[in-house]
Amino acid sequence: MNAISLETRLSLLTGGFLFFEQMMKYMYHHMAFSSKDKIKEIFCLLSDAGNVPALIPCTGGKDCTGFVTAIIQLFLHSINEPVPNSIRTHYEIMKQYGSIEQYLLKGCCIPLSCLESLKQNLLDGLNQTAQ
């Protein structure tokens, strides 16, 4: 068996990391700009008071779920900064639409009534939990 030099191992690791990083950037971009219909579906489902509280499942529980949760939290203004893996995508959304609200309204074509109901449902739930 041939020994692999340290330089070769580092190159493979670095190249693998760079490939993974590019893949993750693509995935977040795809979620934001090619899955708008799914985002609309989620937001409209959550706008019905009968559907909250809700569990948003995901295989790994961090990427798709984290992205959707971050969009909801940014919309509710409960966080001001995007999750670290989606910073570039958040920048692209802000550059193209100016705000998360405009992204949801114009980009995802979510009716204003759904957004208002969603906000009311989730904020009411937070207020009830706090009491």
Side-chain angles (χ1 to χ4, degrees):
M1 182 187 283
N2 294 336
I4 299 175
S5 71
L6 178 60
E7 291 81 16
T8 302
R9 281 187 264 164
L10 287 174
S11 174
L12 289 171
L13 288 173
T14 304
F17 177 76
L18 291 176
F19 173 75
F20 180 75
E21 185 177 336
Q22 288 301 110
M23 185 177 71
M24 295 303 293
K25 286 177 185 176
Y26 170 79
M27 184 182 75
Y28 280 101
H29 186 271
H30 177 77
M31 284 189 285
F33 295 101
S34 299
S35 299
K36 295 178 202 172
D37 57 329
K38 295 297 181 189
I39 293 170
K40 178 181 180 179
E41 184 179 348
I42 292 166
F43 270 71
C44 289
L45 282 169
L46 294 175
S47 72
D48 180 347
N51 292 331
V52 290
L55 175 66
I56 303 173
C58 181
T59 303
K62 62 180 180 67
D63 295 314
C64 298
T65 302
F67 180 79
V68 169
T69 303
I71 294 292
I72 291 169
Q73 290 178 324
L74 287 165
F75 169 66
L76 296 175
H77 304 286
S78 62
I79 62 172
N80 295 322
E81 298 292 325
V83 292
N85 288 339
S86 67
I87 288 174
R88 173 180 232 125
T89 301
H90 179 259
Y91 172 76
E92 291 173 23
I93 289 171
M94 298 304 284
K95 184 177 176 184
Q96 188 168 341
Y97 294 99
S99 70
I100 292 297
E101 289 82 1
Q102 289 303 306
Y103 163 73
L104 295 170
L105 285 167
K106 294 181 180 174
C108 299
C109 301
I110 301 172
L112 180 59
S113 60
C114 283
L115 293 177
E116 290 171 345
S117 294
L118 172 81
K119 188 176 277 192
Q120 187 67 44
N121 291 340
L122 295 180
L123 293 178
D124 281 352
L126 286 174
N127 291 334
Q128 289 175 3
T129 304
Q131 295 173 357

